[in-house]
Amino acid sequence: MNDQQRAGDPAVVIVGAGFAGLGMAIQLKRAGVEGFVVLEKADEVGGTWRDNRYPGCACDVQSHLYSYSFEPNPAWSRMFAEQQEIWDYLKHCAEKYRITPHIRFGTELVGAEYDDATGTWRVRTNRGAITTRALVLATGPLHQPAYPDIPGIDRFRGKAFHSAEWDHGYDLAGKRVAVIGTGASAIQFVPRIAPRVDRLHLFQRTPPWILPKPDRSISPLEQRLFRAVPALQRLYRSAIYWTLEARILGFTVHPRLMKLAEAVARQHLRRQVPDPELRRKLTPDYTIGCKRILISNDYYPALTRPNVELVTDGIAEIREHAVVTRDGVERPVDAIIYGTGFHVIDAFDHLDIVGRDGLKLREAWSGGVEAYLGVTVAGFPNLFFLLGPNSGLGHSSMVFMIEAQVRYVLQALRPLLRGDARAVDVRADVQATFNQRLQARLREAVWGIGGCRSWYLDENGVNRALWPGSTAEYWLRTRRLKPAEYRIEA
Ligand code: NAP
């Protein structure tokens, strides 16, 4: 602890107890740091894996890779575990590494101000303020449900909810249901609800590219083997890692390489959807990879059911008991389920974060959301983002990125925690050069030139979400924090 802080103040405040926040907390603990608290708006850990409980919710990255490297789970029951199993894994990690006593549940961040005189952050929450040396924002990019801007949306008198706020108390059996959106979430829950509902009208704006899902259960014998021979599990994880990593070549080196993946996706569609008209509606007109590539074996078959209608006419308005498309057709429904995604690029807009010299984060980002390595922002000393701008992925495990960032943040925290430094602030020129190069690379990649519009892009078409290279490159670049890139105040 540093002398500018009062005894009892935590040295580090982490916001969010999902994969990122817990990962940060665990590594602090392993480094012998006890003076930290984790603020969590909900009453349980788990982040996105606590919030998203829609039927069929599962990870589309293999669980042996989508888990902490230091906490392998030999007991994963499937290649792609479902939500409950991933959530249980996170709860297990919080308990095993004794993070739970550090967590203040029901505590939501409202804002934070940096005090230059003391090199501390005053963190405001719904339950009062905390002063801390360092603030780690591990709030995740995918937790604020986004509702579409459709006229009449508030007039609807039936049941309506977002996929991330699923109402399990509402029985969909025998109901006429509209689903809006065909992204990663919708393609997982549509096959689960289709057999139960009376009618399902699926409103699609842009068809996604879908590849077969190489899922299977993991046998008890394999689980025993992984438990008995941890090296085997590590090898398995590496094999998955490098298989996924190879995909980045198609995304960035030459999007034309994606033609191969496109051929596989087209064949998948042909095999699963015999009706040429339905197939036509489901065939994307942009390069595969431009939007997140989805994987599913049961989505297309669900759409061939007689009680399911794929609607591709745009939605004109929502009425008290119906959804009306631009061609004037009114479809009466009992319920609307929004699979319309999350606020990503504007995820921090509601927070009042004020850095050095009264600089507001919103102002610093008025020309576009950016950071250095997705972690630090000039003018905001001792503030660290986990999964911040341009550190997302379209091809591999976000947990890998989180672990790289946590390792990097720990290096920045070390002098602060030892009392050797009171402020660590990335240099503005370093951040600017980094982002110029990053954007130059992104302009050549499939997300920019693939002919689609996605949540990766801001209102000016600039990609603010994704890391442009391999995760191996990111790992290398975050392995050692270079002090010369920072203003470090003793
Ligand atoms: P999403 O990918 O953003 O998809 C939203 C869907 O809603 C899109 O089909 C979009 O159409 C549609 N939509 C949005 N506004 C609309 C409007 N006004 N009218 C009609 N349609 C509209 O959201 P998501 O499916 O919840 O997934 C979000 C992210 O969460 C994913 O990309 C992924 O990173 C993550 N996720 C991961 C997993 C996993 O297995 N790991 C599972 C679920 C989600 P357009 O395409 O035309 O914009």
Side-chain angles (χ1 to χ4, degrees):
M1 173 152 328
N2 198 295
D3 55 9
Q4 277 100 355
Q5 286 186 271
R6 283 175 306 160
D9 282 342
V12 184
V13 169
I14 300 166
V15 185
F19 254 111
L22 287 178
M24 186 77 238
I26 292 169
Q27 293 305 348
L28 278 172
K29 198 92 175 175
R30 291 174 106 196
V33 179
E34 289 290 334
F36 67 90
V37 296
V38 183
L39 310 182
E40 170 52 57
K41 66 177 178 178
D43 296 326
E44 287 180 277
V45 302
T48 194
W49 297 107
R50 173 203 59 225
D51 289 350
N52 285 279
R53 300 183 201 184
Y54 57 79
C57 181
C59 188
D60 57 12
V61 175
Q62 288 88 336
S63 297
H64 279 283
L65 181 62
Y66 191 85
S67 42
Y68 298 123
S69 61
F70 55 83
E71 187 59 26
N73 174 17
W76 289 121
S77 68
R78 307 194 62 78
M79 291 298 285
F80 298 86
E82 291 210 348
Q83 171 264 342
Q84 182 69 50
E85 202 173 350
I86 304 171
W87 190 21
D88 287 344
Y89 169 81
L90 284 172
K91 287 191 266 194
H92 154 82
C93 292
E95 286 305 315
K96 175 173 172 181
Y97 292 93
R98 299 186 314 282
I99 303 304
T100 316
H102 293 262
I103 306 177
R104 295 191 190 168
F105 290 104
T107 308
E108 190 161 0
L109 178 71
V110 176
E113 288 95 41
Y114 181 68
D115 178 4
D116 224 350
T118 56
T120 55
W121 280 92
R122 189 176 147 77
V123 180
R124 285 181 290 112
T125 78
N126 59 337
R127 297 204 166 170
I130 311 166
T131 301
T132 182
R133 175 67 58 201
L135 179 58
V136 181
L137 294 181
T139 48
L142 300 169
H143 71 122
Q144 296 166 41
Y147 287 85
D149 190 12
I150 299 173
I153 185 167
D154 295 328
R155 284 217 314 264
F156 185 64
R157 291 285 156 262
K159 184 78 189 170
F161 53 84
H162 189 277
S163 60
E165 294 169 339
W166 198 275
D167 186 345
H168 286 277
Y170 181 76
D171 189 6
L172 288 164
K175 302 285 191 328
R176 296 160 305 173
V177 178
V179 170
I180 302 181
T182 53
S185 302
I187 70 140
Q188 292 183 335
F189 68 74
V190 161
R192 296 293 175 101
I193 65 169
R196 284 166 44 209
V197 301
D198 172 42
R199 268 206 81 61
L200 196 156
H201 306 284
L202 175 59
F203 293 87
Q204 169 188 281
R205 190 165 63 181
T206 317
W209 280 107
I210 301 180
L211 291 173
K213 185 173 185 175
D215 197 13
R216 64 174 179 85
S217 58
I218 297 176
S219 70
L221 175 67
E222 287 171 289
Q223 293 176 16
R224 275 204 300 280
L225 261 175
F226 286 142
R227 197 165 282 125
V229 192
L232 189 67
Q233 191 175 357
R234 280 199 297 277
L235 198 68
Y236 197 56
R237 181 181 165 100
S238 300
I240 297 168
Y241 172 79
W242 288 109
T243 308
L244 297 189
E245 190 71 339
R247 302 201 294 190
I248 194 64
L249 290 175
F251 286 98
T252 56
V253 176
H254 215 304
R256 258 189 238 150
L257 280 176
M258 299 307 272
K259 289 285 171 222
L260 195 64
E262 240 176 68
V264 177
R266 278 182 203 280
Q267 196 196 18
H268 186 47
L269 177 61
R270 257 196 314 274
R271 208 178 284 151
Q272 293 200 317
V273 179
D275 173 10
E277 177 54 18
L278 181 58
R279 220 157 49 203
R280 189 189 58 74
K281 288 180 172 179
L282 288 168
T283 305
D285 62 358
Y286 55 87
T287 309
I288 192 170
C290 184
K291 282 171 179 283
R292 189 182 172 89
I293 300 176
L294 307 183
I295 53 174
S296 174
N297 300 330
D298 53 8
Y299 175 68
Y300 287 144
L303 303 194
T304 64
R305 295 176 58 89
N307 67 331
V308 176
E309 180 199 18
L310 180 72
V311 185
T312 52
D313 280 310
I315 301 173
E317 65 167 316
I318 292 175
R319 294 187 186 151
E320 277 80 358
H321 297 285
V323 179
V324 184
T325 38
R326 287 203 200 107
D327 54 4
V329 178
E330 183 180 81
R331 289 176 178 83
V333 292
D334 304 301
I336 302 180
I337 304 175
Y338 295 98
T340 41
F342 299 86
H343 291 279
V344 182
I345 286 161
D346 53 350
F348 290 96
D349 279 8
H350 69 294
L351 291 177
D352 189 22
I353 296 185
V354 186
R356 183 166 263 162
D357 302 325
L359 177 65
K360 291 199 160 81
L361 187 62
R362 235 174 277 136
E363 286 162 11
W365 281 350
S366 58
V369 171
E370 63 164 54
Y372 180 55
L373 291 167
V375 176
T376 46
V377 179
F380 296 83
N382 308 354
L383 175 67
F384 306 96
F385 291 85
L386 295 181
L387 302 187
N390 292 107
S391 61
L393 299 176
H395 75 286
S396 186
S397 167
M398 290 307 295
V399 183
F400 182 91
M401 299 298 271
I402 288 170
E403 286 197 55
Q405 295 186 336
V406 165
R407 194 179 319 109
Y408 186 80
V409 173
L410 268 183
Q411 295 175 56
L413 288 179
R414 228 164 256 140
L416 296 172
L417 294 173
R418 277 200 307 255
D420 295 345
R422 60 173 209 151
V424 176
D425 190 7
V426 68
R427 282 174 31 205
D429 59 318
V430 170
Q431 183 181 319
T433 309
F434 169 80
N435 279 287
Q436 274 156 19
R437 292 189 183 144
L438 179 123
Q439 289 302 339
R441 288 171 71 180
L442 282 169
R443 274 194 291 278
E444 304 296 311
V446 67
W447 312 293
I449 60 171
C452 80
R453 171 97 224 153
S454 73
W455 60 261
Y456 299 149
L457 312 180
D458 69 10
E459 68 278 12
N460 299 316
V462 181
N463 190 326
R464 300 290 178 184
L466 294 186
W467 171 247
S470 66
T471 64
E473 179 194 342
Y474 189 79
W475 179 84
L476 269 173
R477 294 188 68 169
T478 47
R479 218 162 84 86
R480 295 258 175 275
L481 180 140
K482 298 190 182 97
E485 295 181 336
Y486 284 81
R487 275 173 61 191
I488 300 177
E489 291 169 18

